[in-house]
Amino acid sequence: MERIPVFRPHIGVDTLKHLTDALDVGWLGMGATTKEFEERIAAFLGLEGRFVVATNTGTSAFHIALRAAGIGPGDEVITTSFNYVADHQAIRMAGAEVVMCDIRDDNLGIDVAKAEALVTPRTKAIDPLHFAGIPCDMEGVYRLAKKHGLRVLEDASHAFGTEQGGRKLGSFGDITWFSFDPVKVVTSIDGGCVVVGSSEEVQQLHRLRLLGVDKDTTERYKNRRAWDYDVLSEGYRYHLTNIMASVGVSQIKRAAEFIASRQKVCRAYSDAFRGIRGVKVPPTDFTGVSPFIYSLRVLNGRREALIAHLDQRGVEVGIHFIPVHKHRFFASSRRGGMEVTDRVVQEVLTLPLHSLMRPDHVQRVVEGVRSFFA
Ligand SMILES: Cc1ncc(COP(=O)(O)O)c(C=O)c1O
């Protein structure tokens, strides 16, 4: 029996064509195609007066976003333990301290009331995750940030294309960052980007992205190098190459199609599972949600048995996440109570979701879950 993977990238002949065209240009590093990808991201997100800086991963996007926002040694950044460890590592890379907060039981995003209890004079920023593409409590996050003078760096790695109040995430707010890793809705094999509203911070991000070298971005965007340059700040080697960007360009052209196909699968799952006692479906009808994963909650300690049942039917699953406060390296980081996180991480189960799922795949997943609870 053909197994159904949890993730599968959607790479078609269009992507191959973009890739070979980019190779033919002969300028493989960061260049005009990187710029084109940034422009297409800006157009897709509907940005006005906001700017995109593409990077080689989402983790590096967050790292330089923190540095551009002035976060460094002595500062604390609040994020959730229920998140991928990339965020916590990037905060440490910036020299700041990780403070972990619990989540809400509904959207599995940050619990703002609990976050407020963690704020100290050292708290400089908050990094809320839009889990599974579903917006977190944005109003609460920005209210808290305003009250305590915090920067907000939204982790929209799961939510490229998600809307809030009719506007796409990234088109408003403080700083938003995305990942285009191999399994995301839109991939550039590996990649990410930062969206900011300040042209000064864009300049900083450009320097931080490429070893602190001035002029490099403007010249490289023309597929050439600046041979007369100065170094103005700290910097990393986080640029996105033309080759990776060409994959991103091919993918973003089809983003609306990818999102619609995923929404369709998510709706079929939720329709099939809503009536089952013993599970909780995501709290959305997926309108305006760009779903990276479909996260079903399996109650009453039955998740492992369901995983085994699905495995026998050739259905692969994932678990997002192991909470970061349980990892040895972060076990001593400051945190609040983790009552909801500790329960939810026993329940979450990521079901197969990608843009190439055939109706019989969806049916096999649905039947697999239903037969377990029958
Ligand atoms: C929630 C979350 N944050 C951060 C990241 C890091 O992104 P990247 O893998 O592109 O560095 C990912 C992707 O793995 C993610 O899913």
Side-chain angles (χ1 to χ4, degrees):
M1 181 179 26
E2 180 197 6
R3 292 183 70 79
I4 305 171
V6 192
F7 295 128
R8 189 166 164 203
H10 193 144
I11 301 294
V13 286
D14 52 330
T15 295
L16 288 178
K17 172 89 172 70
H18 278 79
L19 203 43
T20 50
D21 286 353
L23 286 164
D24 281 345
V25 169
W27 187 269
L28 307 182
M30 185 172 95
T33 313
T34 311
K35 182 166 179 275
E36 181 187 349
F37 187 38
E38 291 176 339
E39 287 165 354
R40 286 185 181 272
I41 293 166
F44 179 78
L45 297 177
L47 303 191
E48 284 174 21
R50 291 174 67 76
F51 313 94
V52 179
V53 178
T55 52
N56 60 348
T57 65
T59 308
S60 49
F62 183 38
H63 179 204
I64 59 172
L66 286 162
R67 295 300 298 132
I71 313 299
D75 298 335
E76 289 181 343
V77 180
I78 298 176
T79 190
T80 46
S81 170
F82 185 71
N83 193 348
Y84 188 48
V85 71
D87 295 49
H88 312 70
Q89 292 288 18
I91 293 166
R92 291 291 290 262
M93 282 151 65
E97 295 299 324
V98 172
V99 177
M100 283 178 275
C101 183
D102 205 3
I103 50 172
R104 295 159 53 121
D105 189 75
D106 52 2
N107 58 20
L108 307 189
I110 194 160
D111 183 322
V112 173
K114 289 183 180 173
E116 181 151 29
L118 292 167
V119 173
T120 70
R122 292 172 62 199
T123 310
K124 291 293 170 345
I126 181 164
D127 164 46
L129 169 66
H130 303 293
F131 177 70
I134 300 168
C136 70
D137 171 15
M138 296 274 275
E139 221 175 278
V141 164
Y142 278 95
R143 204 182 322 113
L144 177 73
K146 194 168 174 208
K147 184 170 168 192
H148 295 279
L150 311 178
R151 298 298 302 264
V152 180
L153 295 99
E154 295 172 39
D155 180 346
S157 300
H158 286 194
F160 186 70
T162 287
E163 294 173 6
Q164 168 91 336
R167 294 180 295 170
K168 291 210 169 70
L169 297 180
S171 66
F172 59 99
D174 189 357
I175 294 179
T176 308
W177 57 281
F178 296 91
S179 162
F180 305 118
D181 83 13
V183 295
K184 292 296 190 282
V185 177
V186 160
T187 181
S188 58
I189 309 299
D190 253 323
C193 76
V194 186
V195 180
V196 288
S198 144
S199 49
E200 219 168 83
E201 285 181 353
V202 172
Q203 301 304 320
Q204 277 175 285
L205 288 166
H206 283 165
R207 289 195 291 268
L208 287 160
R209 176 173 66 175
L210 251 176
L211 301 174
V213 176
D214 75 341
K215 297 186 197 162
D216 230 12
T217 295
T218 41
E219 288 308 299
R220 286 189 199 231
Y221 278 175
K222 298 173 197 151
N223 286 351
R224 63 188 193 209
R225 289 282 293 276
W227 297 115
D228 156 36
Y229 56 83
D230 196 1
V231 176
L232 303 181
S233 74
E234 74 187 275
Y236 310 92
R237 197 134 171 92
Y238 283 172
H239 59 280
L240 187 75
T241 66
N242 266 356
I243 300 303
M244 300 303 211
S246 73
V247 174
V249 167
S250 76
Q251 293 265 304
I252 204 166
K253 286 182 177 175
R254 300 182 64 183
E257 173 200 339
F258 293 165
I259 292 167
S261 67
R262 284 165 173 266
Q263 285 171 327
K264 196 171 156 200
V265 174
C266 289
R267 287 182 180 129
Y269 283 162
S270 282
D271 288 348
F273 305 145
R274 196 170 288 111
I276 300 177
R277 270 203 284 165
V279 302
K280 254 191 208 175
V281 299
T284 175
D285 67 1
F286 296 96
T287 305
V289 167
S290 169
F292 162 51
I293 55 173
Y294 184 92
S295 180
L296 184 70
R297 286 172 62 185
V298 185
L299 312 177
N300 311 316
R302 302 197 68 200
R303 182 180 67 182
E304 310 317 313
L306 174 58
I307 292 173
H309 182 86
L310 291 173
D311 184 56
Q312 283 168 2
R313 285 153 184 78
V315 176
E316 297 184 359
V317 297
I319 291 179
H320 294 84
F321 303 100
I322 297 173
V324 174
H325 73 276
K326 296 285 188 197
H327 293 309
R328 263 180 290 173
F329 188 65
F330 287 100
S332 57
S333 295
R334 192 162 76 81
R335 64 173 193 258
M338 289 290 164
E339 296 76 19
V340 180
T341 299
D342 284 336
R343 177 165 39 79
V344 163
V345 295
Q346 309 291 327
E347 297 173 349
V348 280
L349 185 66
T350 301
L351 296 181
L353 179 65
H354 37 87
S355 315
L356 291 166
M357 283 188 73
R358 300 195 312 252
D360 60 304
H361 287 163
V362 178
Q363 201 48 35
R364 179 139 48 104
V365 178
V366 163
E367 286 309 321
V369 174
R370 274 198 179 144
S371 58
F372 178 78
F373 287 100

